[in-house]
Each structure stands twice: as C-alpha cells, then as structure tokens.
Amino acid sequence: MTSTLTRSGLPVLDADPFSPEVLADPLSFQEQLREAGPVVVLAKYGVYALGRYAEVKSALTDWQSFESGAGVGLTNFRTEKPWRPPSLLLEADPPHHDAPRSVLAKILGPRQIAQLREAWEADAADLVDTLLARARGGVLEFDGVAELSGAYPLRVFPDAVGIASEGRENLLPYGDMAFNAFGPHNALVERDADRVESLSLWVNAHCARDALTGTGFGAQIWEAADRGDITHEQAPLIVRSLLTAGVDTTVNGIGAFLHAVATHPDAWARLRREPELIRGAFDETVRVESPVQSFFRTATRDVEIGGTIIPEGAKLVLFLGSANHDPRRWEDPHIFSLDRDPSGHVGYGFGIHQCVGQHVARAEAAAVLGALARRVKSIELAGSPVRHLNNTLRSWKSLPLRMALA
Ligand code: OW7
C-alpha cells in the first residue's frame, strides 16, 4: 500500500483501518498513516485522518473547532440518522455537554471511587481465590478473558450502577455493538443488525428510575435530576452512557493488562515486589494497547491543523492508538515499560471529553492485578491469544494463561 497525493498536496491512503486485517494488527497501518503526513485522506471513506500525537492531541483539545455534536463516529448526525438517540456526554458540545459531564464527574470522582476500593478489592480477592482453587501442583491454566478480565467488571460495575442481576449478559454485546457503530457499516455492524432492537430495549429499560436500586451511580444520577442539576429527561440517557461505556472498556483494559504482564515476566516480578507501581503500570497498558483506538470529530469551520485546512463540516478520525505509538513523542513507543512516564497519553482522550470513568477503570484494574500480585508468582501465555475484532476497541476474545502460585 502506497500513499499518493491529492491536487491539494494531501497524502491519500487506500488502506482501510476498519478492515479485519488492520483491526487484527493495526501497528503497520498506523506507521504508514503517521509517515504519510500529519493530515491524511482515507480514500475509502472520504474523511481526514490524524495519526500523529501532536495533531491528535490538539484536535482533542480544540473542541470549538472540532465538534462532537455531529457524532464521534463516521456517521455525520447533521446529514444521517444516528442508530440511537445521541449520548448527552460523548456526542455533545458545550454548553449542552457541561451539566451531564459535571454530574457524572462528581459521581465517578476519585473520592467517590476510593470509597468502593475495599469492597472491590475483596471481590477481586474472592474471584482470584476461587480461580486459584482449581490449581493442581501449584499451577493453573485458564482463559484470562473468560475467568478474569471478562468476569470481574461484570461482577462489580453493574452492582455499582445499581442494576438488577438478570440480563447482565446483555451488557458486553450492547457495548460491542455501540463501539462497532462508531465505524463504517461493515460486516462487524451487519453481524449485530438483528440484535440492535432487543439489546437496546433491555439497556433502555434499565436506565429507568425504578430499575435502579439503592445508592448506586444510577440512583445518584436521578437524584441529580431531583436537585435540578440535570433534567429528568436527561437522567436515563446519562445512565445509558454508564451502561454503554463502562463495561467493554474496562474488560479490554484489564485484558490488555493481563496480556502485558504475561508477556513481560520482569515487569510482573517487579510489580509483585513493588505493588504501588500497579496503577502506573495500568496507565502504561492503556497507552500501549489503547483499548479505545479511535474517535471522530467534525470541523465546525475551515480550520488549519498540521499545515492543512480541514473544510467546515468535514469528518476527521483521530487515531488515539497511533498517537500513543508516535515515535515523535514516545521513545521505543511499541515497548511496554514500567520505567517510562506514560502521562500525557491520549488513551482516555484529552480535554473536555477525557474519560469521565477513568477512576473506575483504574480501581477495577488495580483490584484485579493487586489480588493476582499477592498470590501468583508467575504468569505466562499458555497458547496463542485470539483477538476479538471491533471497529473501535482493541480487544481479546481469549487469553490462554498459565499461572504458578506464590
Ligand atoms: C456514551 C470511551 C467512550 C463512550 C463510549 C460509548 C458511549 C458513550 C460513551 O465513551 O453513551 O456516552
């Protein structure tokens, strides 16, 4: 695949970043994108693309010029109907974005999440103890996705939101569908076409006030409506954001963390000796794996970026994963290292939309990896891991692991 130039001098790529081949292994596409130039045209979709750290970060920061309200996927909400009513957070701009954002930022703030830490650590210890009870001769082989990364968030997060137990198996497929929907209408989207209605019905029903128990995040969103911080019409859509964005992301973040330690034995030994490094190690995981690979923006005016004018109304795709591997910003960008400072990565985005749930994600990951670090001497791959393909998410379907008890 080569890049050619348009008459305006812009590089054009024919490669499809949403093809199965690129989704399975995006690094060479990303390098091609970064090397082609700071702003590239993707011929297949007729959109602009950013793959370098500097431009991705500046587009994320400049929300006035690069709006989210026209959708953060390929679909332009100004000209095409969204697959569901837009998110009041992700797919909104100031001033509409601000009240929902500040309500969620308080409910999911570091102090609030710190209060869940002990219970979440106990849940992680219980999950890991039950798993390790199956060890024979001090060794256990298991699937890290089925038993840990795919299980733990479903054990703690729906409870924290306050939804009922029945039907929780809908959460991962719904999230998978929502994250596929940011991409083009390809086979990954088509595959789920007959489930959109039933999965949406289930999720929407669980956003209602009477479906949310006790003191959970969901009930707190409704209380914010009672206080007048948001309207009662907004409340269920904000609950929907939690149920959409809160499960697949953490499953894949924790899965990426397991893969990183299973393939870096020195890092695992060090995390066992110095468990206070686990949180920073998770941030390095989010940088190197970038569980959310891309989001789109739409130009609100003719706007210059990377020496190019993006015309008003044009869609551009920001490759977060590529920015997090840009050698212009990161030394040995493809290497997972406990010795680097990963701060400034754009794996959680940047600016006013930066992941409002990141304290939840960090707490879940630290609980699981902390429980393992106290009990498990070594972790290694016991077979070839298998990718799960998604238009937006970097994901594992299976992660065969072998662990030796400490
Ligand atoms: C929402 C990490 C992305 C998301 C993703 C999908 C949906 C939403 C947010 O954040 O519904 O607000």
Side-chain angles (χ1 to χ4, degrees), residues 107-118:
I107 294 170
L108 304 179
R111 301 278 150 75
Q112 279 67 23
I113 301 308
Q115 291 177 0
L116 293 165
R117 183 169 158 178
E118 268 186 48

Side-chain angles (χ1 to χ4, degrees), residues 68-90:
S68 293
V72 298
L74 180 61
T75 302
N76 188 331
F77 293 176
R78 312 262 178 251
T79 54
E80 291 169 86
K81 191 175 140 59
W83 71 279
R84 61 175 195 170
S87 164
L88 302 182
L89 282 121
L90 183 73

Side-chain angles (χ1 to χ4, degrees), residues 93-387:
D93 302 295
H96 314 287
H97 163 266
D98 302 339
R101 170 78 191 200
S102 75
V103 163
L104 258 198
K106 279 183 202 110
I107 294 170
L108 304 179
R111 301 278 150 75
Q112 279 67 23
I113 301 308
Q115 291 177 0
L116 293 165
R117 183 169 158 178
E118 268 186 48
W120 283 10
E121 285 175 352
D123 277 322
D126 185 65
L127 182 68
V128 170
D129 282 337
T130 304
L131 177 64
L132 292 178
R134 294 179 358 214
R136 291 295 169 262
V139 175
L140 180 70
E141 290 192 10
F142 67 103
D143 180 5
V145 174
E147 309 282 358
L148 286 177
S149 63
Y152 182 74
L154 280 170
R155 179 166 165 155
V156 298
F157 186 72
D159 276 347
V161 175
I163 66 166
S165 300
E166 45 71 43
R168 287 181 182 188
E169 69 278 3
N170 291 316
L171 288 168
L172 274 168
Y174 181 82
D176 194 46
M177 194 172 77
F179 281 98
N180 274 326
F182 295 120
H185 195 108
N186 57 15
L188 293 171
V189 173
E190 204 43 54
R191 193 184 59 197
D192 284 333
D194 61 345
R195 308 173 74 190
V196 177
E197 201 172 274
S198 60
L199 287 170
S200 300
L201 264 170
W202 185 86
V203 164
N204 294 340
H206 287 76
C207 297
R209 180 164 219 163
D210 64 5
L212 294 158
T213 56
T215 56
F217 302 148
Q220 293 179 56
I221 290 170
W222 281 96
E223 284 161 17
D226 295 342
R227 287 195 305 271
D229 295 347
I230 50 172
T231 69
H232 287 91
E233 288 68 45
Q234 290 177 309
L237 276 170
I238 299 168
V239 179
R240 195 194 66 176
S241 284
L242 290 183
L243 298 180
T244 310
V247 183
D248 299 64
T249 48
T250 52
V251 164
N252 290 308
I254 295 168
F257 205 178
L258 290 175
H259 182 264
V261 296
T263 52
H264 296 82
D266 294 350
W268 183 245
R270 182 148 178 227
L271 292 176
R272 292 196 63 223
R273 288 194 311 270
E274 303 175 63
E276 65 280 7
L277 299 183
I278 287 175
R279 285 184 166 251
F282 182 59
D283 251 295
E284 169 67 350
T285 300
V286 174
R287 180 195 69 81
V288 84
E289 185 79 349
S290 302
V292 175
Q293 287 274 300
S294 58
F295 271 129
F296 292 69
R297 293 289 190 265
T298 307
T300 58
R301 59 185 179 91
D302 291 352
V303 52
E304 185 271 333
I305 188 163
T308 297
I309 306 289
I310 310 272
E312 178 179 347
K315 277 270 179 187
L316 57 162
V317 50
L318 283 42
F319 286 99
L320 309 177
S322 177
N324 283 340
H325 284 244
D326 186 353
R328 296 160 190 79
R329 169 62 180 81
W330 309 98
E331 198 176 318
D332 297 328
H334 310 318
I335 293 176
F336 171 84
S337 170
L338 299 185
D339 293 320
R340 83 162 83 237
D341 175 7
S343 58
H345 75 73
V346 293
Y348 290 117
F350 209 82
I352 65 167
H353 290 283
Q354 191 182 47
C355 181
V356 75
Q358 58 184 281
H359 308 292
V360 177
R362 290 200 180 98
E364 289 184 21
V368 174
L369 273 286
L372 287 174
R374 281 187 286 278
R375 292 163 177 80
V376 172
K377 186 167 54 188
S378 66
I379 305 182
E380 60 188 16
L381 292 179
S384 302
V386 180
R387 286 282 175 193

